[in-house]
Amino acid sequence: LMIDAPTPSLLSPESDDKAREAFATTALPRRLPRRLVKWGCLLLTLLALFAVLDAQRIGPFCDDGASALPPSGGSINLILMRHAQSENNELPWWNMVLLQMKRDPMLTKQGTAEAEAAAAALTALGVAPHLVLSSYLMRAMETAAVAFGTRVTVAPFLSEHKYFDSDFLSPGSCPLPRDEQRAALAGAGFDVDEQFDWSYVGGSNDAVGPGEWDAFVAWLWEHPEVQQLYAAHGDETTVAVVTHGNYLRLGVLPCGYSHPKNTQAYAVRLQKPAASTLAEGEADVREVTVLYEPRPG
């Protein structure tokens, strides 16, 4: 009876180690494409999701109701502007993928230059709003102060949309505490007490409210200063609103408008509601025109 005994290794222990290293080295390139495929599939899934969201604004599912109609009854002028370049805007795209974004970023030097260019263009057009409103995020406050050169009132319901309503995925949409904002704005050269007014949003950013256009419009018409301005100027009342790109594109502008560029501004009409409660379509912006578009480059 013959029994096959295990064949002894012909390699020394040192040779075995080298063989394992060689195998690991050759196996790594085989594993790497699989990982790239997995990450690629994840990225394509995210892009497809964003495409679905875009389709709601520019595709067959888009329905803006009354926005295509002229105002009926009284109305006011709104100037809608996206903020200038922020610290997050200048980061490479992979920083967003890797969630390496700053919380409540400020303007870059280029962003300040963009706001100054917008100020010159709006002045040349004779734009002089009676009231300037801004979201409670610093990049919008800075842009409003520079572009319109007057006191900025911080308003509720103008903050940037959060991806999947998540602070973790949208750090740029999360404000710093008020005292840190004041210190940062002062460090950037602003006279905080003279140039910014937080009186309509209370003493803490926690109670300002999420970005929601209908809620903002309802708040706007209840704003005592807006009521006084409308009593004095009627349909010629002009209010500037500095907010954020996704907020404008997904929640305010009619179908077909692309994502606003830095400091891009639109002139629109906002209908005065017939009653204290907004009726359907009364928050829609009407007669939309591009007032200012920054030069490329």
Side-chain angles (χ1 to χ4, degrees):
L1 180 62
M2 300 290 292
I3 299 177
D4 292 333
T7 303
S9 174
L10 300 178
L11 299 175
S12 66
E14 293 81 1
S15 298
D16 279 340
D17 292 341
K18 292 180 180 179
R20 291 190 189 96
E21 290 177 6
F23 176 77
T25 302
T26 56
L28 182 59
R30 297 174 192 167
R31 297 186 193 128
L32 190 57
R34 294 180 183 177
R35 292 178 181 176
L36 289 176
V37 168
K38 290 180 181 178
W39 281 105
C41 290
L42 177 61
L43 181 59
L44 288 175
T45 301
L46 291 174
L47 290 175
L49 179 60
F50 289 138
V52 170
L53 294 175
D54 280 347
Q56 296 177 5
R57 298 299 305 157
I58 62 177
F61 302 105
C62 183
D63 180 12
D64 282 319
S67 63
L69 304 174
S72 58
S75 61
I76 62 174
N77 298 306
L78 287 186
I79 301 168
L80 304 175
M81 177 182 280
R82 183 198 175 190
H83 62 80
Q85 186 194 69
S86 75
E87 294 167 300
N88 282 353
N89 295 142
E90 72 170 351
L91 294 174
W93 63 269
W94 59 80
N95 284 82
M96 183 173 71
V97 174
L98 298 175
L99 304 178
Q100 295 179 334
M101 310 291 279
K102 290 189 66 172
R103 179 182 176 184
D104 200 359
M106 301 187 73
L107 296 187
T108 61
K109 289 183 179 180
Q110 179 180 327
T112 300
E114 290 172 351
E116 291 170 347
L122 294 174
T123 298
L125 292 170
V127 175
H130 299 103
L131 178 65
V132 177
L133 303 176
S134 164
S135 91
Y136 69 166
L137 296 170
M138 290 192 292
R139 56 193 183 276
M141 287 189 277
E142 290 180 274
T143 301
V146 175
F148 293 100
T150 189
R151 187 171 174 83
V152 176
T153 298
V154 180
F157 310 116
L158 288 177
S159 58
E160 180 62 297
H161 289 179
K162 297 178 180 179
Y163 294 111
F164 306 106
D165 199 29
S166 168
D167 292 346
F168 176 73
L169 294 176
S170 310
S173 301
C174 302
L176 291 173
R178 185 72 54 77
D179 58 342
E180 293 184 32
Q181 284 186 330
R182 291 178 63 90
L185 291 168
F190 292 98
D191 186 332
V192 176
D193 292 326
E194 288 295 323
Q195 292 183 270
F196 302 105
D197 178 6
W198 281 275
S199 62
Y200 290 98
V201 291
S204 169
N205 287 333
D206 296 334
V208 173
E212 185 180 343
W213 179 249
D214 285 13
F216 167 74
V217 172
W219 173 88
L220 181 72
W221 285 111
E222 295 173 356
H223 192 302
E225 193 168 352
V226 172
Q227 294 176 355
Q228 294 171 8
L229 288 171
Y230 190 77
H233 304 283
D235 290 358
E236 298 304 312
T237 303
T238 301
V239 178
V241 177
V242 181
T243 179
H244 306 272
N246 285 333
Y247 181 92
L248 289 173
R249 182 167 184 261
L250 299 176
V252 184
L253 294 172
C255 293
Y257 281 84
S258 60
H259 193 284
K261 301 173 184 176
N262 296 335
T263 66
Q264 187 161 359
Y266 305 84
V268 307
R269 300 290 299 181
L270 183 66
Q271 181 172 317
K272 190 177 188 298
S276 57
T277 302
L278 290 177
E280 183 177 356
E282 287 185 328
D284 290 1
V285 295
R286 323 284 183 102
E287 300 179 359
V288 180
T289 59
V290 177
L291 181 63
Y292 170 71
E293 186 170 4
R295 295 180 180 179

